[in-house]
Amino acid sequence: VAILFADVTNRHCIEQALRESEAHLRRVIDHMAGFVAMLDRHGTLLEVGEPALRVAGLTRDEVIGRKFWECGWWTYDAVEQDRMHRWVDQAALGVTVREDVCARAADGTRLSIDFMLQPVFDSNGVVTHIIPSGIDISDRKRIEDALRENEARLSQAASALQDADRRKDEFLATLAHELRNPLAPVRNGVHMLR
């Protein structure tokens, strides 16, 4: 009978440090103002921040381990899913992608997101991970749309004013011409009386 003992203190210390590091990363991601996640180079979701989950009414279990474009933020629209899949493929090749996208919220509304996929490279220049991040710009988009509508209304009002001014000028020109003809005999009569 042989009894072997191995000192696993170092392994336990390393495992504990890794767990603490993962917990720290999750806390940082969960407390960011925007939406942040981490994908492997093939687009599988490895980690996601609480704000992104909360806004879509999702849980970590529903999305971790799934392809990013198959998660609830994008499944409402096949076109958006295809775009997201293409962008993840581009990011896996080392391209930073930045686009305005529309994501689904828990209540069914659509959120306008300033979205970015940032590749993460190792020391050899190989993409190891992809970081998707985004900021809700729905309010800004609504304001921009309202400003565009106001500009269109102002443009229409300015056009209407220009048209009214042109018609006024035409009317005054016509009136001046029409008054000139009947006033000519009166003017001649006054001249004769003098």
Side-chain angles (χ1 to χ4, degrees):
V1 174
I3 300 176
L4 300 174
F5 293 96
D7 186 5
V8 293
T9 306
N10 286 341
R11 188 174 78 203
H12 284 298
C13 289
I14 291 171
E15 289 172 355
Q16 179 63 27
L18 182 60
R19 281 192 296 276
E20 288 173 7
S21 177
E22 288 174 352
H24 179 68
L25 175 63
R26 180 169 289 147
R27 282 192 306 275
V28 168
I29 289 175
D30 284 347
H31 289 92
M32 295 185 86
F35 309 122
V36 180
M38 184 169 62
L39 314 176
D40 68 11
R41 66 182 323 268
H42 305 291
T44 302
L45 192 64
L46 303 174
E47 187 58 68
V48 62
E50 186 62 32
L53 295 170
R54 189 177 339 111
V55 77
L58 299 169
T59 65
R60 273 190 169 79
D61 292 338
E62 291 175 307
V63 294
I64 298 294
R66 294 184 67 189
K67 296 296 184 184
F68 188 60
W69 54 88
E70 294 174 355
C71 294
W73 301 285
W74 322 113
T75 55
Y76 69 93
D77 183 358
V79 172
E80 200 70 39
Q81 275 187 292
D82 288 342
R83 286 176 51 188
M84 196 58 61
H85 189 174
R86 268 194 333 272
W87 293 339
V88 168
D89 289 344
Q90 288 176 353
L93 295 173
V95 177
T96 297
V97 177
R98 185 169 186 186
E99 296 284 340
D100 286 353
V101 297
C102 187
R104 181 192 63 83
D107 60 3
T109 60
R110 304 290 187 254
L111 300 174
S112 294
I113 306 291
D114 179 3
F115 181 76
M116 184 162 56
L117 286 167
Q118 180 68 46
V120 177
F121 300 92
D122 66 8
S123 60
N124 297 321
V126 176
V127 175
T128 59
H129 294 85
I130 301 168
I131 305 296
S133 61
I135 304 244
D136 183 357
I137 56 170
S138 301
D139 291 337
R140 185 182 85 191
K141 286 286 190 181
R142 278 191 288 275
I143 291 169
E144 288 173 354
D145 291 343
L147 285 173
R148 272 192 289 279
E149 288 174 15
N150 285 341
E151 285 177 3
R153 276 185 275 196
L154 286 172
S155 177
Q156 289 172 348
S159 178
L161 284 172
Q162 287 174 339
D163 188 47
D165 190 48
R166 182 188 50 78
R167 281 188 266 137
K168 175 199 59 124
D169 289 346
E170 289 173 4
F171 172 75
L172 289 175
T174 303
L175 183 63
H177 178 72
E178 293 300 325
L179 287 175
R180 205 172 315 139
N181 290 340
L183 287 177
V186 172
R187 195 174 13 153
N188 287 339
V190 169
H191 184 64
M192 298 281 281
L193 284 174
R194 269 194 230 160

